[in-house]
């Protein structure tokens, strides 16, 4: 709040208002105070609303009653206390029913189902398991490695279900409280966001300094003129200071704030909510958008397409879904029925969409009642799945899920320990096929596993690997570690899910591509699936090449290797029909390490095709999160080159996503991030514009939230950002010209020791400029994105040329009018009524310039008597300058290509027409009372027509220059080419260097690092949501 009130513009306004009150210029001073207070109020109100919302979010969990186990006189007892009394080390007892978590806590017994949507924006329930018992002295965080988050209950999340183990109580130990928690960290990042270094805001202060320097010249001129004419020192000081308040527009902050508020309202009507208004202008500069895949580019839900079972080291016939016959009972069926983390919540099966589809295909149901007696396990709150009414016959009554090892994005898998009622215990694992196959016994994995996997991932299918093994009888499931459970598995087959593109995805990406806005995919999915989806979505053109970048650490050394492999297009004949293709072996399968073979094509043809693509720069890099990490550590010098053409980044962790966005920003890209708000939280925060696709009205996960879960909001936001940015520039230009026009008029009149009257100033400042400043921003965004961005800085040649030329036009017109009026035959220096002898009351109002007793430029004398301002020069200069303000407002109100045509802003057009009508009325009316009030004098009709002609010539010149020169993009491009001007952006410079490098990219070559690795563990991401990625080394 203090920063808003002490903004340099507002401090300057305070100085101006004090000076005006000293000169009795009460009306405009009061108007500026009201506008400034309104502007400050709106800004502070917006900040206050956000603060209240944040306070409520914090308060919701800070004042709840919790049950804590505390020692009293050596005995442990349970007591109820308010949550703000909790300290790290307290033991919480979690009761049944919904509970908000007031702190970060480690679950040490039982199991919880938690809704983490407050932190992640994703309302899928998450299963939390208790900390495993371990017979070693390692810290729990090191022992659990990447999987530690599955044991931590995060502050601000809601426990929706608890399941006790044989102890009968669900317990958790308080880990962190207050701002040290996951929620506290998120609140801190919102309260103190990463500062955005945007040129517009830097240039605004430079703009102010330039105007003050311009005013300093006028001050010197004023002191010289009035001092030489014997004015009192006090009056000279006031007049010279007054020049500064004229040259620097005091209404600018209010006008800029108004523009942002209008844009925010337009976005809200389109279902896009903003909690960081200052980033709206930044959206106008975005030239690279990172997209998450699942739920963002593709549909949130997955459709089960088929199942490829494996028996005795061989794949069997594919089972398609939906099928005429149900899936037969067997290990694969059992895996689909139990290997999930689904729960029944409010009468519906809830959980990961993939799990839901997989389980629904079995036609079984979840019996989630508590206290099932499982043989050998005692009384436990196990989830039991049973055959449903539509299920095929099964030889078992049901299967109990005894223990879960929840899905981990780092491990890329999940496992469960299950037991048939009356049967033996088994382990079932599902996850990324490559990862599952590594955990299986080699003799159970088919030899053609990699080629079959490629067959489906190349079509864009989501492929899940399934595996199982039997456990020794009599062993407690809770005593087993994850490493013991997930080893020596038997491979069961591949589950093939169809993840369709959203209907809006391809048109939106095509629109962005046509606007030369780069699209990048950042996903946690398989790299081949990601590449295929990128091709289907239009991110990668069919004629472009895809180059896989693989980086690996060399075992037993500190070095690493990096290889570039061209990823060939799949042959159409190989995939004419997947049902038929299942009986065929892919041509020339290879043994390789990455499951991404290079197709055997005739070498000359392949090399020729690749050479043509590379020569034209039409190639895209694809890499995994592991390769990205290694490149960032060992091949730092190559990272910018790879990012320049990197389009697909697969198997990326949340921290790597944040790091990638920051690396793009280092190349001077303006980066947008669009995701579903879950594991994209960190990247959404770090990006210049983070857009979360969430049903919530305003998610704290990102600056922008779209209520519609579609990427159609991205071009919409860019359009509005461009319009807002152009509006800001138009406002700066208009305010600069209005101030300069008034400044030039006043300096001309100072030459005769004259000036504008109070009501003349008031009419220009309030009735003209303030109303224009408020209505100019109503113009909406142009519906089409053009393939270039608006300028990002005020100090640019076109803008400066526009301002300078219009200043010269205004100066020429005012000087011409000032000089020519003195040459008219009816002109008299002493008799201001000599031009209109027919005026009856001219004797009453007669005045002599020689009797001008200027008591100050704005002396507040508002009587009918002459107050010393009336003269032919004053009338001429004031009328010319006032209508000139309308001319520049019209000329500077740009429409296409970034805003809609000016005639669509009906309010602004009506305002201009109304103001022009009033001004022309003042020019041609001859009403004594009105003229006396406005300090105008009567002039012959011929002179009035002459002034209109001068204004028409100025309008034509301004409009012609603006359209033919300032807005002439081909002309500026030609000038850039002629003077060999090149962009200073890092990525542009790098592009020019790589265009000259015939050896880049080095296809089918392997490089080795020869330097010590750079540690980037601590820098993988700016703000990272601790729910997914904690930056603490020890706990």
């Amino acid at each position: 709040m203090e920063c808003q009130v002490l903004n340099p513009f507002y401090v300057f306004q305070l100085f101006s208002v004090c000076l005006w009150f000293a000169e009795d210029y009460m009306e405009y001073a009061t108007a500026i105070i009201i506008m400034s207070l309104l502007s400050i109020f709106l800004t502070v109100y917006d900040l206050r609303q956000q603060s209240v919302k944040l306070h409520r979010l914090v308060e919701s969990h800070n004042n709840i009653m919790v049950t804590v186990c505390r020692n009293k006189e050596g005995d442990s007892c349970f007591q109820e206390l308010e949550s703000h009394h909790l300290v790290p080390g307290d033991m919480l007892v979690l009761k049944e029913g919904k509970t908000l978590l007031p702190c970060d806590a480690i679950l040490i017994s039982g199991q919880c189902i938690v809704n983490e949507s407050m932190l992640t924006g994703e309302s899928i329930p998450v299963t939390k398991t208790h900390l495993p018992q371990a017979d070693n002295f390692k810290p729990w965080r090191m022992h659990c490695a990447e999987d530690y988050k599955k044991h931590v209950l995060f502050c601000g999340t809601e426990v929706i279900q608890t399941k006790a183990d044989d102890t009968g109580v669900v317990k958790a130990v308080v880990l962190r409280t207050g701002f040290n928690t996951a929620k506290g960290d998120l609140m801190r990042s919102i309260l103190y966001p990463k500062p955005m270094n945007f040129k517009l805001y830097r240039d605004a202060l430079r703009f102010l300094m330039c105007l003050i320097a311009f005013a300093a010249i006028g001050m010197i001129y004023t002191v010289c003129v009035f001092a030489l004419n014997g004015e009192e020192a006090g009056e000279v000081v006031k007049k010279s200071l007054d020049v500064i308040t004229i040259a620097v527009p005091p209404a600018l902050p209010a006008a800029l704030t108004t523009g942002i508020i209008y844009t925010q309202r337009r976005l809200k009507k389109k279902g896009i909510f903003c909690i960081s208004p200052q980033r709206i202008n930044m959206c106008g500069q975005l030239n690279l958008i990172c997209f998450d895949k699942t739920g963002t580019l593709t549909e949130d839900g997955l459709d089960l397409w088929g199942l490829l079972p494996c028996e005795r080291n061989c794949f069997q016939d594919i089972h398609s879904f939906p099928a005429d016959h149900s899936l037969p009972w067997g290990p694969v069926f059992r895996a689909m029925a139990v290997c999930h983390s689904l729960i029944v919540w409010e009468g519906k099966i809830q959980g990961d969409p993939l799990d839901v589809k997989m389980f629904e295909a079995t036609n079984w149901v979840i019996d989630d009642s508590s206290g099932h007696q499982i043989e050998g396990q005692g009384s436990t709150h196990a989830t039991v799945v049973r055959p449903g009414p539509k299920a095929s016959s099964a030889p078992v009554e049901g299967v109990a899920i005894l223990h879960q090892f929840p899905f981990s994005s780092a491990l890329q898998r999940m496992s469960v320990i299950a037991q048939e009622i009356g049967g033996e215990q088994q382990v079932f694992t599902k996850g990324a096929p490559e990862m599952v196959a590594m955990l299986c016994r080699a003799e159970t994995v088919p030899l053609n596993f990699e080629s079959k996997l490629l067959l489906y991932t190349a079509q864009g299918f989501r492929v899940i690997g399934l595996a199982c093994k039997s456990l020794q009888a009599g062993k407690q499931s809770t005593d087993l570690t994850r490493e013991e459970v997930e080893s020596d598995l038997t491979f069961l087959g591949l589950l093939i899910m169809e993840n369709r593109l959203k209907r809006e995805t391809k048109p939106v990406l095509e629109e962005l591509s046509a606007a030369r806005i780069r699209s990048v995919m950042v996903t946690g999915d398989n790299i081949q699936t990601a590449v295929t989806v990128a091709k289907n979505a239009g991110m990668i053109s069919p004629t472009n090449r895809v180059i896989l970048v693989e980086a690996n650490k060399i075992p037993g050394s500190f070095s690493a290797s990096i290889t570039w492999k061209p990823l060939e297009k799949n042959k159409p004949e190989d995939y004419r029909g997947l049902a038929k293709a299942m009986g065929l072996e892919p041509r020339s399968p290879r043994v390789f390490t990455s499951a991404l073979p290079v197709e055997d094509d005739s070498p000359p043809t392949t090399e020729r095709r690749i050479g043509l693509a590379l020569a034209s720069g039409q190639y895209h890099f694809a890499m995994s999160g592991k390769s990205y990490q290694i490149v960032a550590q060992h091949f730092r010098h190559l990272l910018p080159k790879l990012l320049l053409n990197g389009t697909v980044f697969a198997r990326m962790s949340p921290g790597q996503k944040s790091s990638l966005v920051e690396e793009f920003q280092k190349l001077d890209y303006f980066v947008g991030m669009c995701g579903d708000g879950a594991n994209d939280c960190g990247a959404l925060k770090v990006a210049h514009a983070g857009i979360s696709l969430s049903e919530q009205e305003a998610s704290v996960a990102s600056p922008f939230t779209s209520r519609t879960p579609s990427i159609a909001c991205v071009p919409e936001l860019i359009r509005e950002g461009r319009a807002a940015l152009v509006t800001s520039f138009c406002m700066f230009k208009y305010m600069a010209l209005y101030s300069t026009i008034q400044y030039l008029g006043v300096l001309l009149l100072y030459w005769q020791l004259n000036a504008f009257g109070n009501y003349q100033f008031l009419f220009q400042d309030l009735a003209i400029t303030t109303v224009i400043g408020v209505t100019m921003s109503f113009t909406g965004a142009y519906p089409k994105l053009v393939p270039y961005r608006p300028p990002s800085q005020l100090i640019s040649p076109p803008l400066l040329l526009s301002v300078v030329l219009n200043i010269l036009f205004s100066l020429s017109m005012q000087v011409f009018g000032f000089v020519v009026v003195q040459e008219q035959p009816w002109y008299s220096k002493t008799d201001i009524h000599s031009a209109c002898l027919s005026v009856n009351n001219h004797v009453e109002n007669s005045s002599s310039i020689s009797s001008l007793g200027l008591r100050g430029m704005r002396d507040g004398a508002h009587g009918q008597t002459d107050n010393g301002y009336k003269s032919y020069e004053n009338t001429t200069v004031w009328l010319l300058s006032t209508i000139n303000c309308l001319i520049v407002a019209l000329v500077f109100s740009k429409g296409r290509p970034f805003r809609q045509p000016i005639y669509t802003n009906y309010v602004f057009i009506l305002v201009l027409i109304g103001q022009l009508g009033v001004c022309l009325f003042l020019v041609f009316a001859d009403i004594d009372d009105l003229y006396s009030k406005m300090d105008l004098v009567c002039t012959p009709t011929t002179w009035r027509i002459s002034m209109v002609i001068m204004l028409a010539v100025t309008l034509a010149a301004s409009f012609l220059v603006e359209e033919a020169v300032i807005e002439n993009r081909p002309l500026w491009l030609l000038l850039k080419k002629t003077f060999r001007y090149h962009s200073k952006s890092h990525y542009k410079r790098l592009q020019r260097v790589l265009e000259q490098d015939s050896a880049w990219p080095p296809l089918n070559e392997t490089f080795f690092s020869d330097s010590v690795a750079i540690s980037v563990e601590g820098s993988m991401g700016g703000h990272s949501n601790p729910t997914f990625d904690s930056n603490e080394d020890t706990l």
Side-chain angles (χ1 to χ4, degrees):
M1 192 179 294
E2 184 182 339
C3 292
Q4 294 297 326
V5 176
L6 296 181
N7 183 298
F9 277 110
Y10 292 126
V11 173
F12 172 74
Q13 281 183 337
L14 180 63
F15 161 76
S16 302
V17 166
C18 292
L19 184 64
W20 293 334
F21 274 120
E23 297 177 345
D24 293 330
Y25 184 39
M26 301 288 188
E27 297 88 347
Y28 189 56
T30 307
I32 283 293
I33 289 173
I34 293 169
M35 283 195 300
S36 298
L37 289 176
L38 186 64
S39 177
I40 292 171
F41 170 77
L42 288 172
T43 309
V44 172
Y45 175 77
D46 189 45
L47 291 170
R48 177 67 181 162
Q49 287 289 93
Q50 291 182 38
S51 298
V52 168
K53 189 179 285 187
L54 287 174
H55 184 265
R56 283 175 185 160
L57 286 172
V58 174
E59 192 180 37
S60 63
H61 71 261
N62 206 34
N63 292 318
I64 59 174
M65 297 303 292
V66 291
T67 305
V68 182
C69 181
R70 291 258 173 102
N71 284 327
K72 276 195 176 178
E73 298 176 359
D75 295 326
S76 295
C77 65
F78 295 102
Q79 64 181 82
E80 298 266 333
L81 60 106
E82 288 189 357
S83 56
H84 61 264
H85 292 303
L86 288 173
V87 293
D90 277 338
M91 185 182 290
L92 287 174
V93 176
L94 300 173
K95 298 179 179 178
E96 288 188 12
K98 292 185 178 181
T99 311
L100 278 173
L101 283 165
C103 58
D104 286 357
I106 312 168
L107 197 61
I108 58 171
S109 71
Q111 183 177 306
C112 291
I113 310 295
V114 182
N115 179 3
E116 293 184 337
S117 60
M118 190 268 138
L119 292 180
T120 67
E122 198 172 79
S123 56
I124 294 171
V126 179
T127 302
K128 301 287 184 175
T129 58
H130 66 77
L131 198 65
Q133 301 293 328
D135 298 326
N136 61 49
F137 295 99
K138 282 185 181 179
W140 71 272
R141 173 73 182 277
M142 287 178 64
H143 175 70
C144 298
E146 288 290 336
D147 214 27
Y148 78 94
K149 304 179 194 78
K150 298 303 176 184
H151 312 303
V152 179
L153 304 172
F154 291 102
C155 177
T157 59
E158 184 182 32
V159 177
I160 55 179
Q161 198 176 88
T162 58
K163 294 181 182 179
D165 54 15
D166 50 4
T167 63
V169 184
V170 179
K171 296 178 185 175
V173 175
V174 176
L175 183 63
R176 294 173 291 240
T177 58
F179 274 105
N180 294 319
T181 62
K183 188 173 181 178
D185 187 59
L186 192 58
M187 294 302 119
R188 189 165 50 242
S189 74
I190 295 166
L191 289 169
Y192 308 104
K194 178 185 174 184
M196 286 286 115
N197 187 18
F198 193 42
K199 290 177 182 176
L200 176 66
Y201 304 122
R202 291 201 316 269
D203 288 350
L205 286 175
R206 292 177 186 170
F207 170 79
L208 184 64
M209 293 300 110
C210 289
L211 288 178
I212 290 173
F214 192 46
I217 299 169
M219 283 179 67
I220 296 167
Y221 165 83
T222 305
V223 169
C224 293
V225 168
F226 282 94
L228 291 173
N229 281 276
E231 282 288 330
E232 291 179 10
E235 290 300 315
V236 173
V237 169
K238 276 201 283 187
K239 288 181 181 60
S240 56
L241 289 176
D242 217 357
V243 171
I244 297 179
T245 67
I246 294 169
V248 181
L252 183 59
L256 292 176
T257 304
T258 307
I260 293 295
I261 289 170
Y262 291 152
T263 306
Q264 208 171 347
R265 284 182 182 172
R266 285 198 296 268
L267 287 171
K268 194 170 184 179
K269 284 180 183 175
K270 293 169 182 173
I272 302 169
F273 301 91
C274 173
I275 63 170
S276 183
Q278 68 271 21
R279 294 194 189 222
I280 291 175
N281 278 338
M282 206 166 284
C283 294
Q285 283 294 304
L286 294 181
N287 56 0
L288 186 148
I289 312 290
C290 296
F291 292 99
D292 182 33
K293 184 181 76 70
T294 309
T296 303
L297 297 175
T298 59
E299 295 288 353
D300 224 347
L302 295 162
D303 294 320
L304 201 56
W305 188 87
L307 174 67
L308 191 61
C310 171
E311 288 182 21
R312 296 183 301 278
N313 195 24
C314 292
F315 283 118
Q316 306 300 304
D317 291 339
I318 190 165
H319 180 93
S320 299
F321 295 96
D324 296 330
H325 62 284
S326 57
L327 194 65
W329 175 256
V332 176
F333 188 99
R334 287 197 294 276
M336 291 175 63
V338 301
C339 195
H340 54 72
S341 55
L342 300 175
I343 64 162
V344 176
W345 183 24
E346 297 178 346
K348 286 181 66 179
I349 294 176
Q350 302 274 0
D352 188 278
L354 184 151
D355 287 353
V356 173
K357 288 287 183 182
M358 180 184 73
F359 182 71
E360 286 176 347
T362 65
N363 290 320
W364 278 37
V365 293
I366 298 175
D367 178 5
D368 208 29
S369 56
S370 59
H372 292 287
Q373 189 72 27
I374 308 298
E375 187 181 342
Q377 297 296 317
S379 178
T380 180
H381 288 61
T383 299
V384 175
V385 293
R386 305 180 187 276
K390 297 179 182 178
S392 58
S393 59
V396 294
E397 181 189 338
V399 182
I401 302 169
L402 304 178
H403 190 72
Q404 288 184 11
F405 295 97
F407 177 79
S408 164
S409 56
L411 301 175
Q412 299 175 19
R413 62 183 181 270
M414 75 160 290
S415 298
V416 297
I417 299 174
Q419 182 178 3
E420 293 179 11
I421 295 176
E424 64 172 1
Q425 291 184 33
Q426 283 186 301
V427 173
F428 293 95
T429 299
K430 81 170 193 297
E434 309 96 322
M435 187 59 67
V436 171
M438 285 171 58
L439 300 172
C440 293
R441 288 178 286 119
E443 62 270 19
T444 67
V445 181
L447 295 173
N448 61 342
F449 165 79
E450 290 174 334
S451 58
K452 287 292 186 188
L453 177 61
L454 178 61
L455 180 70
Y456 290 103
T457 55
Q459 299 302 301
F461 288 110
R462 178 94 176 265
V463 183
I464 305 296
L466 300 173
C468 74
K469 78 171 180 180
S470 297
L471 285 179
Q472 294 176 359
K475 205 163 188 182
Q476 285 282 345
S477 61
T478 53
D479 295 339
L480 295 169
T481 65
R482 188 160 192 161
E483 290 74 19
E484 290 173 322
V485 168
E486 294 173 341
S487 61
D488 297 325
L489 301 171
T490 299
F491 188 73
L492 293 179
L494 298 174
L495 194 64
I496 302 158
M497 316 287 286
E498 190 176 18
N499 195 194
R500 295 191 184 95
L501 281 176
K502 288 183 179 177
R503 190 177 68 255
E504 309 87 358
T505 295
K506 194 165 185 177
V508 167
L509 293 179
E510 285 173 353
E511 184 181 7
L512 293 177
S513 177
R516 292 186 185 172
I517 297 170
R518 203 177 140 195
S519 298
V520 171
M521 185 189 293
V522 189
T523 178
D525 208 343
N526 175 282
I527 194 164
Q528 182 65 60
T529 303
V531 168
T532 305
V533 170
K535 286 181 176 179
N536 293 340
M539 270 189 187
I540 299 174
S541 169
T543 57
N544 291 359
R545 312 298 304 166
V546 179
I547 300 168
L548 174 70
V549 179
E550 275 193 338
N552 295 289
K553 287 186 177 177
I554 298 172
S557 73
F558 291 105
S559 61
S561 65
I562 183 170
T563 308
W564 287 262
K565 298 179 183 177
L567 190 64
E568 288 294 320
K569 290 188 291 183
N570 299 308
K571 289 278 189 182
E573 58 267 25
D574 284 339
Y575 308 112
R576 259 184 203 144
L578 282 180
K580 292 180 182 178
M582 279 314 305
L584 301 172
E585 284 301 312
R587 188 167 64 81
S588 305
R590 292 188 179 191
V591 178
F592 53 92
T593 56
S594 75
L596 292 165
V598 178
E599 185 185 318
D600 285 338
D601 205 342
S602 56
T605 309
T606 304
E607 287 175 15
R608 195 180 312 116
R609 262 204 333 262
I610 292 173
L612 286 171
L614 298 184
S616 59
Q618 297 175 338
Y619 61 90
H620 302 262
F621 291 127
M623 70 170 77
S624 66
K626 185 191 84 169
S627 295
Y628 171 79
Q629 185 96 9
I630 293 169
V631 169
Q633 287 177 320
H634 295 269
F635 300 97
R636 192 79 195 171
H637 63 289
L638 290 177
L639 189 58
K641 295 181 181 180
L642 293 172
L643 294 184
L644 203 60
N645 286 82
T647 301
V648 175
F649 297 86
R651 298 288 188 218
M652 296 285 279
S653 71
Q656 288 167 345
K657 288 183 179 183
S658 301
S659 169
L660 180 68
V661 169
E662 289 193 319
E663 291 298 333
F664 276 127
Q665 289 173 333
K666 287 175 186 175
L667 291 176
D668 296 331
Y669 280 108
F670 281 88
V671 185
M673 174 73 198
C674 183
D676 56 13
N679 54 356
D680 307 311
C681 269
L684 289 168
K685 279 282 171 195
V686 170
H688 289 109
I691 311 152
S692 172
L693 306 183
S694 170
E695 292 179 2
Q696 312 226 344
E697 182 174 308
S699 168
V700 295
S702 65
F704 298 95
T705 305
S706 172
R707 184 176 280 174
T708 309
S710 156
I711 65 168
C713 62
V714 174
E716 196 62 62
L717 186 59
I718 294 172
R719 277 193 285 269
E720 288 293 348
R722 288 181 173 185
L725 188 58
V726 169
T727 300
S728 295
F729 284 131
C730 291
M731 198 61 70
F732 271 112
K733 284 172 65 175
Y734 172 72
M735 288 293 180
L737 257 296
Y738 138 72
S739 297
T740 308
I741 288 166
Q742 199 177 71
Y743 169 83
L744 293 173
V746 168
L747 293 189
L748 275 174
L749 294 178
Y750 273 2
W751 186 255
Q752 290 192 335
L753 304 184
N754 200 345
F756 291 154
N758 278 9
Y759 285 107
Q760 289 177 330
F761 272 117
L762 195 63
F763 185 82
Q764 282 188 350
D765 293 341
L766 206 55
I768 300 290
T769 301
T770 304
V771 178
I772 285 175
V774 170
T775 57
M776 188 185 276
S777 306
F778 285 164
T779 310
Y782 193 63
K784 184 183 176 183
L785 282 175
V786 292
Y788 50 91
R789 298 173 294 160
S792 62
Q793 51 188 15
L794 278 169
I795 316 299
S796 62
L799 191 141
L800 289 176
L801 183 64
S802 173
V803 170
V804 169
L805 288 177
N806 278 282
I807 287 173
L808 290 176
F809 293 151
S810 178
L811 178 64
S812 303
M813 180 180 66
Q814 290 191 45
V815 170
F816 183 77
F818 184 81
V819 172
V820 172
V821 73
Q822 297 175 9
E823 303 299 323
Q824 299 305 308
W826 43 263
Y827 172 80
S828 170
K829 209 171 189 182
T830 56
D831 184 5
I832 58 172
H833 297 288
S834 60
C836 299
L837 297 176
S838 62
V839 178
N840 296 325
N841 62 345
H842 102 263
V843 175
E844 179 187 348
N845 291 320
S846 63
S847 168
S848 170
I849 196 70
S850 58
S851 64
L852 284 178
L854 259 80
R855 298 178 300 280
M857 193 176 67
R858 300 163 177 160
D859 64 356
H862 306 309
Q864 291 294 316
T865 58
D866 178 16
N867 56 19
Y869 298 128
K870 294 177 184 176
S871 71
Y872 291 117
E873 292 89 348
N874 174 294
T875 300
T876 301
V877 170
W878 185 80
L879 288 172
L880 289 175
S881 63
T882 303
I883 300 177
N884 197 11
C885 289
L886 301 181
I887 289 172
V888 294
L890 180 65
V891 170
F892 287 164
S893 295
K894 293 178 186 174
R896 289 176 290 192
F898 302 113
R899 301 201 306 170
Q900 289 182 354
I902 190 62
Y903 56 77
T904 61
N905 187 348
Y906 307 117
V907 177
F908 181 64
I909 292 297
L910 288 173
V911 162
L912 277 184
I913 291 170
Q915 290 173 334
L916 181 62
V918 171
C919 290
L920 290 176
F921 177 76
L922 288 172
V923 171
F924 290 102
D926 197 4
I927 303 170
D928 290 342
D929 289 342
L930 177 64
Y931 268 35
S932 178
K933 200 77 173 173
M934 295 300 297
D935 295 312
L936 300 175
V937 296
C938 178
T939 56
T941 305
T942 53
W943 180 245
R944 303 179 195 194
I945 293 171
S946 300
M947 286 194 289
V948 172
I949 293 171
M950 287 184 231
L951 290 163
V953 170
T954 305
L955 170 63
S958 294
F959 191 79
L960 187 66
V961 164
E962 199 71 19
E963 290 299 315
V965 179
I966 308 302
E967 296 298 313
N968 189 341
R969 182 172 166 78
L971 174 64
W972 289 103
L973 290 175
L974 180 64
L975 288 171
K976 281 183 178 182
K977 192 175 179 181
T978 305
F979 292 100
R980 295 183 180 179
Y981 172 82
H982 296 294
S983 172
K984 294 177 182 177
S985 297
H986 192 174
Y987 75 94
K988 286 281 189 186
R989 295 203 304 266
L990 195 56
Q991 274 177 347
R992 292 193 293 271
V993 170
L994 292 183
E995 282 170 7
Q996 308 300 320
D997 188 355
S998 58
W1000 181 264
L1003 286 178
N1004 296 316
E1005 291 186 31
T1006 303
F1007 292 171
F1008 296 92
S1009 64
D1010 53 359
S1011 60
V1012 179
I1014 302 166
S1015 175
V1016 293
E1017 293 299 324
S1019 62
M1020 273 289 151
H1023 167 74
S1024 56
N1025 188 341
T1027 312
F1028 295 96
D1029 221 19
S1030 177
N1031 55 6
E1032 294 181 2
D1033 296 324
T1034 56
L1035 291 171

